[in-house]
Amino acid sequence: MILYYSGTGNSEYVAKRIGNEVQDEVINLFEKIRNQDFSDLFSDRPWVIVVPTYAWRIPRIVENWLMKTKLGGSPDIYFVMTCGGSNGNAGAYLKKLCKVKGLSNQGCISITMPENYIALYSAPERAEALAIIERAEQKISDSAKSIRKGTAFSEPQVTSKDRLKSGLVNDLFYPVYVHAKKFYVTDACVSCEKCEKVCPLKNIRMENGKPKWGKQCTHCMACICRCPKEAIEYGKHTNGMVRYICPKKCKVDRTEKSSWSSSWL
Ligand SMILES: Cc1cc2nc3c(=O)[nH]c(=O)nc-3n(C[C@H](O)[C@H](O)[C@H](O)COP(=O)(O)O)c2cc1C
Ligand code: SF4
Ligand code: SF4
């Protein structure tokens, strides 16, 4: 079973591509994370977790969800991390997570996709984004091939810099950078409420037709990138900057099951 979380569509695209190649169910974790739903899941086939990289590790909201949710059936679990360039030493932390949960770690692979972190960096224009995704296709297919054959992903080379980034830098990243204080809404807002609906942490509530941000932000970039009017800014940094949503879509061959699916335990 393929489980994915995605702020701006890259991981969703990769999850669905893999789902089609291995012919397994693809499930979006958004509602489960948003509703703090930790009910047990069951799959006879290996678990495949597809997520973005946040500060050289898997997103904490996904790590937290995985820690609290029982994955029954197959003990094997693969991790596929989309990233803008590097997932550092993320695999080491996933090994620990598997040990705690009694799962058999089949490795972690990073797939370079377009950068989406517009609060700190910049995202590519559509044509460049499509070229980056094109270059990722082979690795997506190769990872699906390993999953289909039941072979573990090969161990990546990890440097001491990677260890530092996934360790100390990740620890500092959340308290220092990850907050919603710099988000604000401009007059372009048409009160459509989309930003409120796409937040995985219910961190946005509408007040007099305008979004107000709370303290639970995880910097997924969904609100700012998915606003149809580009009416959300993050400090001065995002002024005039490209909003990123994965330009390639993939239709799942098999039905995507929602959180109340009967196949769940
Ligand atoms: C909060 C945040 C932190 C990020 N940290 C990293 C990182 O450490 N390394 C990296 O290569 N990309 C990083 N990125 C880029 C994303 O991992 C990448 O664009 C990913 O494919 C986005 O996936 P999504 O569209 O499924 O949300 C970061 C993005 C965000 C929003
Ligand atoms: S998504 Fe954009 S236009 Fe819609 S309510 Fe939010 S800020 Fe306003
Ligand atoms: S407030 Fe915006 S950036 Fe923060 S978690 Fe919600 S949708 Fe993501």
Side-chain angles (χ1 to χ4, degrees):
M1 185 181 289
I2 325 293
L3 305 175
Y4 75 87
Y5 166 73
S6 183
T8 61
N10 287 346
S11 310
E12 175 173 5
Y13 174 73
V14 171
K16 290 179 176 176
R17 278 271 286 98
I18 293 174
N20 285 348
E21 292 206 23
V22 305
Q23 282 293 296
D24 201 358
E25 284 173 46
V26 181
I27 290 172
N28 187 352
L29 293 178
F30 176 83
E31 291 293 344
K32 293 190 82 65
I33 291 173
R34 187 170 155 100
N35 296 322
Q36 298 280 288
D37 174 359
F38 307 116
S39 51
D40 299 354
L41 294 178
F42 181 88
S43 173
D44 288 327
R45 300 192 50 195
W47 298 96
V48 182
I49 312 295
V50 187
V51 289
T53 303
Y54 288 174
W56 303 281
R57 300 253 294 266
I58 66 166
R60 285 201 179 168
I61 55 170
V62 178
E63 187 174 301
N64 182 44
W65 181 86
L66 279 169
M67 285 306 292
K68 294 182 176 166
T69 305
K70 185 178 173 211
L71 302 180
S74 171
D76 295 339
I77 186 162
Y78 292 85
F79 295 92
V80 178
M81 295 176 69
T82 69
C83 68
S86 164
N87 71 341
N89 189 29
Y93 296 85
L94 296 169
K95 273 181 197 161
K96 283 186 206 162
L97 185 143
C98 288
K99 212 167 179 188
V100 173
K101 290 194 63 77
L103 290 166
S104 172
N105 181 27
Q106 300 299 304
C108 170
I109 203 165
S110 69
I111 309 244
T112 299
M113 292 287 281
E115 175 66 57
N116 75 338
Y117 197 9
I118 63 168
L120 265 193
Y121 306 109
S122 58
E125 299 275 0
R126 182 182 164 86
E128 195 191 335
L130 284 168
I132 295 169
I133 298 167
E134 194 52 41
R135 289 196 291 276
E137 296 291 359
Q138 188 60 50
K139 202 166 179 187
I140 299 171
S141 295
D142 290 346
S143 60
K145 215 174 278 167
S146 297
I147 295 164
R148 210 171 43 224
K149 286 200 300 195
T151 50
F153 292 146
S154 49
E155 281 279 330
Q157 295 278 347
V158 175
T159 64
S160 47
K161 239 186 186 169
D162 291 327
R163 284 189 198 96
L164 186 69
K165 285 174 180 168
S166 300
L168 187 65
V169 181
N170 180 281
D171 285 345
L172 292 172
F173 171 74
Y174 280 90
V176 175
Y177 287 110
V178 184
H179 55 73
K181 288 180 212 156
K182 290 191 187 175
F183 280 118
Y184 64 93
V185 64
T186 69
D187 291 344
C189 173
V190 292
S191 307
C192 70
E193 302 183 0
K194 185 164 184 185
C195 49
E196 182 193 36
K197 293 190 182 94
V198 299
C199 179
L201 292 172
K202 296 187 181 166
N203 190 47
I204 297 174
R205 63 170 201 286
M206 300 303 288
E207 251 183 49
N208 302 320
K210 304 291 173 208
K212 277 266 182 301
W213 285 263
K215 292 187 174 160
Q216 300 302 314
C217 185
T218 195
H219 268 194
C220 72
M221 301 293 109
C223 56
I224 188 167
C225 287
R226 292 185 186 276
C227 168
K229 295 292 172 189
E230 299 193 5
I232 298 174
E233 299 288 353
Y234 190 80
K236 287 189 185 135
H237 183 71
T238 52
N239 259 295
M241 193 173 272
V242 169
R243 269 46 177 172
Y244 180 76
I245 295 294
C246 183
K248 257 190 118 174
K249 306 285 172 235
C250 178
K251 222 170 147 269
V252 269
D253 294 343
R254 295 165 65 106
T255 324
E256 189 174 6
K257 303 241 168 137
S258 53
S259 46
W260 49 87
S261 154
S262 58
S263 82
W264 292 17
L265 273 183

